[in-house]
Amino acid sequence: RPVSMREIVTVQLGPQASWAGAHFWNFQDDALHPEVAADGSVLEDPNAVDPSVLYRSSGGQARGGREDGPRAQRTPRLVVCDRAEHFGSLGAQGRRVPTTDAAAPAGGALPPIDPLSWGASVDTIVMEAHEPSRFVRSLYDAADEEELDEWREGEERQHDEERRDDDKEQDDDDDEPRVSAARRRGVRSGSSSAVTETSGRMQGLSVAGSGTAAPAATAPVAAPAPASFDFETTVAHWPDFLQAQLHSRSVAPLHAHTHNFSDFDLWADGEEVLKREDAAIETNSLALLDRIRRFLEECDAPQGLQLLADVDSSFGGLGLALLTRVRDEMTSAPCVVLGFGTTPMQEAHEDAAPSAHAIAALNDALALTAYGELRTLYVPMPGHCTDVELRYPPVVHVDESLRFHTSALPAAWLDVATLPFRSGGTDRGGLSRLLGGLQAAPRFNLACAVLGLPLPPPVLGPRDVAGRRAWGIPRGGAFAPSSFLCPLSPWALPPSQASAFSQSVAVLGFPDDPAAIVGVIPRLLSCASATNTSLFVRAAPLALPLPFPQFFSPDLGTHGQLLPPAQSREPRAFVKRAEGDEVMSLPTTAAIQSTPALGPLVSRVSEAWAEQRRVVEQRFSGHWGTDELAELTEELHCLRENYKPKAEGYESDSDEDDV
């Protein structure tokens, strides 16, 4: 296997992280399906995304980098921990509950209690079963009664198999019962797998492509329209729109007794979960560390971990405790952490209890500083329903009351930004090279997420007096080129107002002319040194999974092209797309930047912490000592100095010479 095909283990902790993770795994699930030509033959692409980076497999015969044998099944190398009530219809063993009848006891009633074993009164509490969403049912609507019976037996058998020793468990994985064999996936039609092969040094930029151009013809795949599922109103939990099949080891529901019935808002409560496991206080604990270890043991050459965590609650402390334990065994493995919810409380929360403000300020301060010593790259992400005013591309309208919407853009960014480490072909160094390129170090380990969704592909402008034509981004009306590039990190400055120290940029859906990329990207995403930009280019756009929100304006075409009328129109109120008029793919750009654009975020967190430090010392002295809080203050001060923006008034030339 090529050196570049090294495994990544993913950990998701908390509700917002789980919603973003569900969108992310939908992108990966669609990528598992090989594209076919008009005659039905598989289009082999040796440089396609390698599924073994994020997925484990059981059984089947390998073919073209994918296992498609009759017994083959790929499941994410994933551990997801969320509150138990958020798992919806997802069974404890990672399988869907086909119907409420399948989860009910045989005969419809509980067996009577033997009076010789228990003579007192018995209170029966029956939890309401969650019906699978209409979309989930559509994935399994071809399953027959024989497969359903197999699922019922498998739920019981798999529970016992997970408790056997590691060797036996590895052998049994191939025999997992699967109701997913007849799944109908919501794969889009009309996507192109053409990619650009560009490598080497061009004008100081390190450019890497993802393969040679493959035939553009693909056989259309029938799929219902998103409107037929009405995701915005029918999705109540993140498994309601999850396409991927999870392994039983992936599902770790958090029950109240696991954290001793605390409010689970302090980071210390998350750390306490692992301490209780160490002390064997819980007989049926989450075993999170053991789950991660087992996934790592299956890897041939793990390149690292990616951690998604709700850092505004105890899930942030749980993630830190887990990563610290993993570091004891894998000291050199890098990790990318997406922290959801780094947003100090605003005026709208002035009526909240003083302790709530103190906890929020403390959690935010810990999120920015605590991961620095663990060889991690920390990417701040917004939480859900926050008071932070976020910038979105002018053709996107996010309903911030819906987790289904607020989690979608971070997932799209993660999918595109990590493509260089998941694609086949030449070795690109993986996460280690990413951290090295961004010069990540203690007290200098923050990164800003920038997403262009869509970023219109460049076009050739008119000829100058010398007869030359330059590449530029189409613009006009409200759609200036820089308006499409929006930071996802809260309070971060837009790229037009801050030049990055270093950056990794992935561009999808651009022309296959290297001059187009080299001529446009530096003007949109400026960097202090051209040699500090790593550029990944793919000609194929980002294909959207069926459950991805259709929150785009009518100014975009089916494949994300900016329609001509929009380029000359003045700004207007957002208008919904007509029903059935969906966007299926988008030219997309995602950047991971080490940049002073994060300076305003660090300053706000520092100021909030300075205001609440005394309250924390008084109310939570049992969790943190005075010396620890003083060190936290010092680390925030260092971050503030390291990420201090340039003098106000800085503007890049990103909009110059555009078409």
Side-chain angles (χ1 to χ4, degrees), residues 18 59 111 213 279 319 337 371 505 545 582 630 657:
S18 298
V337 179
Y371 290 99
V505 183
E582 56 179 311
D657 301 324

Side-chain angles (χ1 to χ4, degrees), residues 493 497-498 596-600 603 640-648:
L493 298 174
Q497 298 180 21
L598 291 172
S603 296
R640 193 168 183 174
E641 291 297 317
N642 292 339
Y643 292 95
K644 181 181 297 183
K646 289 185 178 181
E648 293 185 5

Side-chain angles (χ1 to χ4, degrees), residues 194-235:
V195 293
T196 302
E197 175 66 39
T198 54
S199 60
R201 304 290 258 181
M202 298 188 305
Q203 298 184 12
L205 294 178
S206 175
V207 184
S210 63
T212 56
T218 58
V221 180
S228 64
F229 296 108
D230 193 14
F231 290 106
E232 279 77 4
T233 59
T234 61
V235 169

Side-chain angles (χ1 to χ4, degrees), residues 213-257:
T218 58
V221 180
S228 64
F229 296 108
D230 193 14
F231 290 106
E232 279 77 4
T233 59
T234 61
V235 169
H237 308 94
W238 55 266
D240 291 343
F241 65 96
L242 176 66
Q243 294 178 187
Q245 177 79 35
L246 301 187
H247 189 272
S248 56
R249 196 187 307 149
S250 296
V251 182
L254 179 71
H255 297 276
H257 64 82

Side-chain angles (χ1 to χ4, degrees), residues 102-453:
L110 294 172
I113 302 296
D114 185 354
L116 296 179
S117 60
W118 182 258
S121 62
V122 176
D123 293 331
T124 302
I125 300 176
V126 180
M127 296 184 63
E128 180 182 358
H130 292 279
E131 280 285 346
S133 67
R134 189 164 45 191
F135 173 70
V136 170
R137 284 199 204 96
S138 75
L139 300 178
Y140 295 87
D141 60 0
D144 55 21
E145 287 299 321
E146 180 180 351
E147 290 169 327
L148 185 57
D149 292 338
E150 184 181 8
W151 174 84
R152 289 167 176 161
E153 296 174 1
E155 282 291 287
E156 299 178 359
R157 186 165 71 250
Q158 187 65 27
H159 182 72
D160 296 333
E161 289 176 352
E162 279 297 299
R163 301 188 181 281
R164 298 179 183 177
D165 58 84
D166 294 349
D167 294 338
K168 180 62 178 174
E169 182 201 44
Q170 184 66 35
D171 294 338
D172 290 342
D173 281 343
D174 292 345
D175 299 324
E176 287 184 358
R178 287 182 287 276
V179 72
S180 62
R183 263 187 55 175
R184 174 166 57 83
R185 302 173 188 260
V187 181
R188 301 283 187 163
S189 62
S191 62
S192 172
S193 61
V195 293
T196 302
E197 175 66 39
T198 54
S199 60
R201 304 290 258 181
M202 298 188 305
Q203 298 184 12
L205 294 178
S206 175
V207 184
S210 63
T212 56
T218 58
V221 180
S228 64
F229 296 108
D230 193 14
F231 290 106
E232 279 77 4
T233 59
T234 61
V235 169
H237 308 94
W238 55 266
D240 291 343
F241 65 96
L242 176 66
Q243 294 178 187
Q245 177 79 35
L246 301 187
H247 189 272
S248 56
R249 196 187 307 149
S250 296
V251 182
L254 179 71
H255 297 276
H257 64 82
T258 307
H259 52 86
N260 200 25
F261 299 93
S262 68
D263 293 333
F264 212 61
D265 52 0
L266 284 170
W267 273 41
D269 294 334
E271 298 172 359
E272 188 66 23
V273 170
L274 290 191
K275 293 180 180 179
R276 291 170 66 86
E277 289 188 1
D278 293 340
I281 295 178
E282 300 292 339
T283 56
N284 189 22
S285 66
L286 292 173
L288 292 175
L289 187 59
D290 186 54
R291 295 170 190 262
I292 296 174
R293 281 173 176 161
R294 293 187 177 185
F295 280 128
L296 288 171
E297 288 170 359
E298 295 175 355
C299 301
D300 293 334
Q303 62 169 292
L305 298 92
Q306 56 184 17
L307 170 65
L308 289 68
D310 286 25
V311 295
D312 57 351
S313 68
S314 299
F315 287 107
L318 179 59
L320 178 65
L322 279 172
L323 194 56
T324 301
R325 307 290 183 88
V326 172
R327 277 287 172 269
D328 293 339
E329 303 172 13
M330 298 180 60
T331 57
S332 60
C335 179
V336 175
V337 179
L338 270 64
F340 291 89
T342 304
T343 51
M345 306 186 77
Q346 297 295 289
E347 289 76 7
H349 298 97
E350 287 299 325
D351 56 345
S355 60
H357 290 274
I359 291 173
L362 175 62
N363 289 346
D364 290 334
L366 289 170
L368 293 186
T369 59
Y371 290 99
E373 299 293 338
L374 297 176
R375 197 169 183 239
T376 62
L377 187 69
Y378 182 79
V379 185
M381 288 287 183
H384 176 64
C385 286
T386 68
D387 296 321
V388 180
E389 185 177 352
L390 298 174
R391 294 178 64 250
Y392 296 113
V395 293
V396 174
H397 177 70
V398 175
D399 185 344
E400 296 190 350
S401 66
L402 300 176
R403 287 191 189 270
F404 181 67
H405 277 199
T406 59
S407 58
L409 293 183
W413 173 85
L414 181 61
D415 176 57
V416 178
T418 58
L419 268 177
F421 323 121
R422 297 185 285 108
S423 299
T426 58
D427 180 19
R428 299 181 182 92
L431 297 179
S432 295
R433 181 172 296 179
L434 172 66
L435 268 66
L438 296 181
Q439 304 170 15
R443 300 183 179 179
F444 195 75
N445 68 312
L446 305 183
C448 182
V450 179
L451 178 67
L453 185 76

